[in-house]
């Protein structure tokens, strides 16, 4: 990186920041060059996932939101989750292209096609995350 990516922590409990901070420092290299700001958030209502990331390339920003379940994971799973979410930023251009192509599909195909794409994307990101995180044995 030719510049330093700035990270902000808004509303993140201290224990979560203390646990996630070193992982973001260690794996920050996974974010592409367009990410100038990594905004870290906490959502105590997030029950369906331990974390999620939103890539906003037009603002040069990615927003990583942790849910309360992340703190209940062991250290290896926490690291994998962080790597998984950061890997999504690398594939954001594919997501953007897919969203553009969706409008050209017949409406009755969109739901099925979107599910297939989302499943394939998650499989690819998960595979990358497992390849990048060293198994603690």
């Amino acid at each position: 990186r030719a510049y330093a990516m700035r990270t902000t922590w808004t509303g993140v409990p201290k224990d979560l920041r203390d646990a996630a901070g070193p992982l973001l420092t260690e794996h920050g290299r996974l974010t592409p060059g367009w990410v100038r700001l990594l905004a870290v958030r906490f959502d105590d209502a997030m029950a369906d996932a331990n974390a999620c990331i939103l890539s906003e390339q037009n603002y040069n920003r990615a927003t990583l939101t942790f849910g309360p379940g992340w703190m209940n994971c062991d250290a290896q799973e926490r690291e994998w989750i962080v790597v998984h979410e950061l890997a999504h930023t690398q594939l954001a251009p594919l997501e953007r292209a897919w969203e553009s192509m969706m409008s050209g599909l017949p409406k009755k195909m969109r739901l099925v096609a979107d599910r297939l794409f989302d499943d394939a994307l998650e499989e690819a990101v998960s595979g990358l995350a497992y390849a990048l995180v060293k198994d603690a044995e």
Side-chain angles (χ1 to χ4, degrees):
R1 286 185 180 267
Y3 62 90
M5 178 179 67
R6 192 165 68 89
T7 303
T8 60
W9 299 81
T10 304
V12 179
K14 184 180 179 340
D15 60 340
L16 196 150
R17 182 177 178 166
D18 290 347
L23 293 172
L24 292 175
T25 299
E26 179 180 352
H27 297 293
R29 72 189 185 290
L30 297 175
T31 57
W34 60 262
V35 178
R36 302 292 176 101
L37 172 65
L38 178 62
V40 183
R41 304 282 184 265
F42 178 74
D43 182 355
D44 61 3
M46 186 189 298
D48 58 338
N50 292 318
C52 66
I53 198 158
L54 174 65
S55 295
E56 298 173 282
Q57 290 169 280
N58 52 331
Y59 296 112
N60 298 100
R61 167 176 68 210
T63 302
L64 174 60
T65 304
F66 287 99
W70 189 80
M71 288 299 291
N72 296 328
C73 299
D74 66 22
Q76 187 176 354
E77 188 174 4
R78 286 180 186 177
E79 181 179 21
W80 181 86
I81 291 167
V82 166
V83 169
H84 174 100
E85 295 306 329
L86 294 179
H88 269 289
T89 62
Q90 288 287 348
L91 298 179
L94 292 176
E95 293 180 64
R96 205 170 68 245
W98 174 251
E99 288 169 13
S100 295
M101 289 185 293
M102 280 284 287
S103 63
L105 292 176
K107 287 186 179 183
K108 64 182 179 180
M109 288 182 60
R110 290 180 191 171
L111 188 61
V112 172
D114 201 40
R115 168 59 62 186
L116 290 171
F117 179 81
D118 286 346
D119 288 348
L121 180 68
E122 284 303 312
E123 185 178 342
V125 169
S126 293
L128 287 171
Y130 281 116
L132 292 167
V133 173
K134 297 177 183 83
D135 288 331
E137 294 181 10

